[in-house]
Amino acid sequence: MSILLDRSTRVLIQGITGKEGTFWTRHMLDLGTRVVAGVTPGKEGESCQGVPVYHTVRRAAEHEAEASLLFVPPRYTKDAVFEALDAGIRTIVTVADGIPLHDALQIRKAALSCGAHIIGGNTSGVISPGKAMMGFFPYWIERVYKTGRLGVMTRSGSLTNEITALAVRAGFGVSTLVGVGGDPVPGCRFSEMLPLYQDDPETEGVLIIGELGGTMEEEAAEALASGVFRKPLLAFVCGVYAPEGKRMGHAGAIVTGGRGTVNGKIRALEKAGALVATRPGMLPGLLNQALGEEKTT
Amino acid sequence: MSILLDRSTRVLIQGITGKEGTFWTRHMLDLGTRVVAGVTPGKEGESCQGVPVYHTVRRAAEHEAEASLLFVPPRYTKDAVFEALDAGIRTIVTVADGIPLHDALQIRKAALSCGAHIIGGNTSGVISPGKAMMGFFPYWIERVYKTGRLGVMTRSGSLTNEITALAVRAGFGVSTLVGVGGDPVPGCRFSEMLPLYQDDPETEGVLIIGELGGTMEEEAAEALASGVFRKPLLAFVCGVYAPEGKRMGHAGAIVTGGRGTVNGKIRALEKAGALVATRPGMLPGLLNQALGEEKTT
Amino acid sequence: MRLFEYEAKEVFRRYGIPVPESALIYAPEEAEGAAGKLGYPCVLKAQVLSGGRGKAGLVKVVSNPENTAPVAAGIFDSPAATVDALLVEQAVEPEGEMYLSITVDPLSARALVMASASGGVEIETLAAENPEKILRESFDISSGLLEYQARNIAYSLHLQGGAAKEMVKILMSLYGIFRDLDAELVEINPLFSLPEGTFVAGDAKLILDDNAAGRREGFPLRREYFESEIEYRAAKEGIPYLQFDGDISLMCAGAGLTTTVFDLVHYEGGTVANYLEFGGPNYTRATEAMELCLANPSKVILAVTFGTIARADVMARGLVEALDRLKPDRPIVTCIRGTNEEEAVKILSAAGLQPFFDTEEAVRKAVALAKGGEQ
Amino acid sequence: MRLFEYEAKEVFRRYGIPVPESALIYAPEEAEGAAGKLGYPCVLKAQVLSGGRGKAGLVKVVSNPENTAPVAAGIFDSPAATVDALLVEQAVEPEGEMYLSITVDPLSARALVMASASGGVEIETLAAENPEKILRESFDISSGLLEYQARNIAYSLHLQGGAAKEMVKILMSLYGIFRDLDAELVEINPLFSLPEGTFVAGDAKLILDDNAAGRREGFPLRREYFESEIEYRAAKEGIPYLQFDGDISLMCAGAGLTTTVFDLVHYEGGTVANYLEFGGPNYTRATEAMELCLANPSKVILAVTFGTIARADVMARGLVEALDRLKPDRPIVTCIRGTNEEEAVKILSAAGLQPFFDTEEAVRKAVALAKGGEQ
C-alpha cells in the first residue's frame, strides 16, 4: 500500500511532449509508474516514450486515468486542472512554479468542492518509492530514496532530498512522499493528507518537512491533538532564524504579525505530541525514538 | 396544507419600505401572512405596517425567517437573492420584472446548488388563498380567488386572474398558486413544483397556465408521463396563433426553430395524459372532468 | 435587441474575430465605388434584422463593375423588406462552413456553446435533421468558458494544428463578447474555414439583453431597428407592440392575457391589426397606447385587462380620458376587470361604453364589429 | 510586489476611493512649495516600503512654512531608511480611524474582507489584543464580493445613512482593485472617517502577485523598490536574494534548503551576509549568483545544494567556471549533491575545492573560515 499513488494507479500526463514532460515520463516509466496516456494539444496520434498522446484529456478517456500529472506552465495550470477535474480525475499533481494567487484559490476551491486531491503547485510531486512517481525525484540515488514505512509531507524540494537522505542513513525508507509545495495557497494541505496516511497500513509514522509561514504545521498538530491522526508524527521545521516580514524563499514562507513563526509551529507540534527537529542532524535520533525498530523494507 | 407557504411560514420582506413593499405588506398581513421582519438598508429601527425593519437580512436573523419576498429593482435582485440565501433562507420570491439574463442564470444556478426554491422574477408571486401570500394577487375579489384543492402554476399575471376566475365560477378553489414568472430563465420551473404538489394532501390536481416559448410545459408533461406526478394535470396554453420568431409578450415567450410551439406543448401534455384547454371557456368542463366533485372548501 | 450584421461584425472585429473587409452603403450608386475598393467578387447584403435573407433575394454576389449598381438597386428596392443599408463585403472562397454560437440553457442554468462542422444552414434545421452534428459544451457563467473547453470543441471539429488554435481564439473571443455585452445569443453562421487554416465570419448575429442595457456599452434605439414607424414609436415609449395587418387593434394588459386575446380573435375568425400591452408599468398610459392603435388602419380597438396592481378603475378612467382626447374614429370594446372592477364598470358605463366582463364575449363583439356588425 | 503608498493611492484615486490631496517631492527644497499649494497643516511621509514609518520618524506633520523644509530634510536624511521621495499630503482631522483590507485565506480557498472600527494600529496587534473588533466577510473568488456583503460590513461598523453607503462604495472599489490587479493584499489603514459621513484613505497598502504580472497593468521593477543596489540587481536577474550584514554569503539551491542553511549558520554562531538561491530555473547561472555574493563584503561563500532537475554536475561545473571568471577574493565552501553527484565531486575536487557531502559539516567549515579559520 501507499497513499495517492501505487503501481496500479493509471496516470495521465498533461504536457507530456514538452522537454520536462518527456524526460520525466521516461523516469516515471522506469520506476514502474503506470503511465497510460499523455496530452498535448495538437499532438494527438504521436507517442511519447511509448505512451499515446491525445489533444485533450477528454479524448484520452478510454485509458480511464485516475491521476494526472501536469507539466503545464503556471498561467495555464488552472485551465489544465479544470480539464482534468472535468474528465473525472480526482488526483492531480501540478509541478508548476508561479501559479497566480487568484488562480490558486480557484484551484483549491475546486479541489474542496469536488473532493479531489490537488497536489502543488511548486512541488516535486508525489513518490511512492519502489512503486511509482508523479513528478521528479532522484529515486535512483539509493542513499536518498528507499522504500519503507515512513510517510513524508513537504513544502520543499532540495530540502526534501536532504532530509530523506538522512532518514535513509538512519535506516528508514518512505511509503509515500507528498510534496504539497511551497506556494501560499497549495491545492492540498498537510492536515488533509494525514487521514490517508492514517488509513495506510504501510505507513507507520509521518514526517513533516515544514518551514516558516502559513499555518499548515499548526493544522497538522491539531489533527494529531484531536485524534484524527494517531500514528507517530515527526517534523523538521526550518526558518527559526528567518527575519519577520521578509519573503524567505517560497512565496508561502513569509511571517507576518506573529503568525506563521517557526517557534509557534514547534510549540503547537510539540504540545500535540509530535517530535520536532530544528536541525537536520536531530532527525535520525527522533526517528529511532518514534518508530523504534522500523527500518527500510 | 399547501405548498411553499402557509399561515405558519415566517416571511421576510426585502425592500419593505418602498411604495410597493409597504402597500403589499399591508395586504399580506391582512390575508394572514406571518410577516416577521423587513429589510431596507439604512432604515433599521423603523417599523413598516407594524413590522420591524432591519438594515440587512443578517441583522433580522433573530426572526428566523423561512421565506423572503423581494421588492427589489431588477438590477439589485441577484444581490438580494444571494443575501437571502446566505442567511439560510430557502424559499425566495422575486417579483422584479427585468432581471438581466446573465444574473438570472446565476440566481437559478444558486437555487439548484443549494436546493432552494426561487420563484420568479417577473411574477405576481405565490398565494395560498385564505392563508398567506407572498406577492400581489387580488385575493379580496371573491370571484377570482377562493380556497380549494387545485394547485395552479403560471407564467402570467393578468391571465392568471382570468383563469382562476373561471375556476371559481366552475366551483373550484386554489390550494397554492405559484407564479413561476414570464422570464426566459425563471428561478424555478413547473416540473420542480410538481413533486411538492404531489406531496400536498390538500392538492387534488394541478392546473398549468402556460404559453408559447421555452420547454417548461414539456417538462411538466414528462413529470406526468414518468410518474413523478400522479394527480390529475390540466393545462391552459395560450399562443396557438403567435407568429414564430417574434417576442410575444414575455421575454420567455419566443418560439424559435420549431421549439417552444404551443402545438408541441399541447401534444406533449396530451400524450402524457394531461387535459389541455386552448380557450379559457374550455376550462370549466375540463376541471369537472378531471376533478369531478371537488369543489371549493 | 438584435444588432445588424454590420454592427455585430464591428464588435467581432474589436474582439479579434476575423471578418471580411467591407463597406456600408446607403444607396445603389455607392455600390460600385465600394466594391471597386474592396475588389471583385463582392457580396451585397441587405442590412435587415429578419432571417432568411438569402432565400428572400437580399444577399447577392457581384463579380464585375457593370452589374454592381443594378444588383444593389434590386436589393434596395426589394419588396421583401425595407432596406436602408447594404453591407458590401469581399467574397470569400471557403473550404468549409462551420457553425458557432453561445447562448443560455434555462434548464441547467448554464451558458451553452454550440458548434458544428456543418454550418451555413439554420441551426434549428440542423438540430432537427442531424442533431449528432451539433457539439455542445456548457459552462458556469461565474467561472466562464475555459480554454480547455474551447480545445475540446476545436478538436472535436477535427481541426488540426494552427486551425485548432485559431478556433480556440475565436471561441474565447466569442465568449468575451457574450460576457461583456450581456448577450442572449452570439452566433457565427457560417464561419468560413479557409485552406490556410484560418477562419472568417461569414455572418454575425448578436442579440443583447435589454435588461442589461444599463451596465454595458450602449446601442441606442434607432429607427432602423424597426420595420415600421409605429413599432419604433412604441419601443421609444416602452410599450410592447407588434405590427400585424388585420382588423382589430389589441390594447390589453398582461402578456399572457394579450396573447390569449390574440388567439381568441383568430378562433372567432377575426384578424389582428396590432398586439399592444398597456399593463404593467404602462397601465396609466391609455392615451399613448390608444394613439399607437389609431395609427393603424384597424377597424376596432379591443381593450381586455384583468389587473391587480394595474387597477381596473385607473385603467377605465385612462381609457375614457383617451377617448375624450383622441376621439377615435372606430369603436372600442372594453373588458376591464381586476382591482376595483366595480368602479371601472361605473366609469365605462358613464362614458357610454358597454363594459364586458367575459373575455370571450368581448372578443366576439370585436370580431363582429370588425366584420361590419353594428356597435 | 509591494507598491509605494503614493502609487497605491494613485490606484485608489482611479477606483474612486477618496485620498487626500497630495504632491510627491524628491528634495527638501520642494516641500515648502508643495505644502503651500496644498494648504497647512500638511503631513510629510517618507515613501519607503518598510512598515512602522511613524515610530521611525518618517512621517511628520508641518503646520507652517517656516519649518517645512527643515522637517522634510530631516526625513530625507533619516538614518532609519533610504528615502528617495516624500508624499506631501493635506492633513485630515478625522473623527475616527478604521481598518479595511482584502486578502486571501489559503485554508478556505476564499478571499477575505477584514474591517474594524479600530483602525490606525497594525491589524496583527489588533488581532492579538482585540480579535472581537475585527469583522470578517469572505467571498468566492469566481463570484466576487457582492454588495450585500459590503452592506453587512458597513452596518456592522455601526455606520448610518450616507456613511454606510459611502463605505459600501469604498469596499466595492477595494474589491475592484483586488480583482483587476491580482492583489495579494489591499489595505487601508487608517481609513479616516470624517464628521460629514465621508471617508479618506490615510494610508494605502497594495501588494500585487508577481505571478500575475503578465495579465494586469505593469508596474516595472524600479530601483526605488529596493533597499540596496544588489537587491535590485538580483531582482532584475530573477535570483531570489535578501541582504543581511554578516559574514557568510549563502549561494544555495532550494528555498527550504537555503533557509535551513541560514538557520544552521546561526546555530553554529556564524552570521549571514546574504541569502541567495541559485536553484530552480537559475541552476546554470553560478556566475551571476557569485557576482552578487562578491558584491557583498562577506568573508566566505557557502554553496549547498541537493538538486534533482538542478543537476549536481551542472552546478559544480558552473561554480568552477565562476571561480575561473571571477577569481573571488574569499574562500568557497561547497556541498553539492543530488542528480549526478559523483560527477560533481570529481569536478569540484579537480578544481581544488574540498567537496562536503554533509550540510552541517559544510556549515561548520564556513563558520570557522568566517571566524578566521584556515581554508
Side-chain angles (χ1 to χ4, degrees), chain A residues 179-190:
Chain A
V180 302
D183 277 350
V185 181
C188 88
R189 304 174 70 81
F190 286 158

Side-chain angles (χ1 to χ4, degrees), chain A residues 11 18 21-22 26 93 97 102-103 105 124 128 138 163 168 186 192 195 201 206 209 220 234 244 246 251 254:
Chain A
V11 173
T22 305
R26 183 72 264 147
V93 177
D97 179 6
H102 291 202
D103 286 6
L105 276 191
S124 306
S128 299
I163 300 295
V168 169
E192 292 157 352
V206 168
I209 305 174
L234 300 94
E244 185 164 316
K246 296 244 182 191
I254 183 165

Side-chain angles (χ1 to χ4, degrees), chain C residues 5 9 18-20 45 53 89 188-192 200-204:
Chain C
E5 178 193 6
K9 281 189 169 165
V19 293
K45 304 161 97 174
R53 288 181 302 174
E89 259 187 3
I188 314 180
N189 187 24
L191 175 68
F192 294 130
V200 175
D203 199 353

Side-chain angles (χ1 to χ4, degrees), chain B residues 246-258:
Chain B
K246 297 245 183 192
R247 180 173 288 187
M248 194 108 164
H250 291 131
I254 183 164
V255 174
T256 46

Side-chain angles (χ1 to χ4, degrees), chain C residues 15-28:
Chain C
Y15 277 81
I17 298 175
V19 293
E21 289 291 306
S22 68
L24 191 68
I25 64 166
Y26 295 93

Side-chain angles (χ1 to χ4, degrees), chain A residues 101 109 143 162 239 279 281, chain D residues 140 209 263 268 341 359-360:
Chain A
L101 181 68
K109 183 203 142 201
R143 71 175 195 90
E162 171 92 24
R279 298 175 63 144
Chain D
D140 182 294
D209 176 13
D263 282 350
E268 296 295 340
E341 56 191 15
T359 301
E360 300 208 20

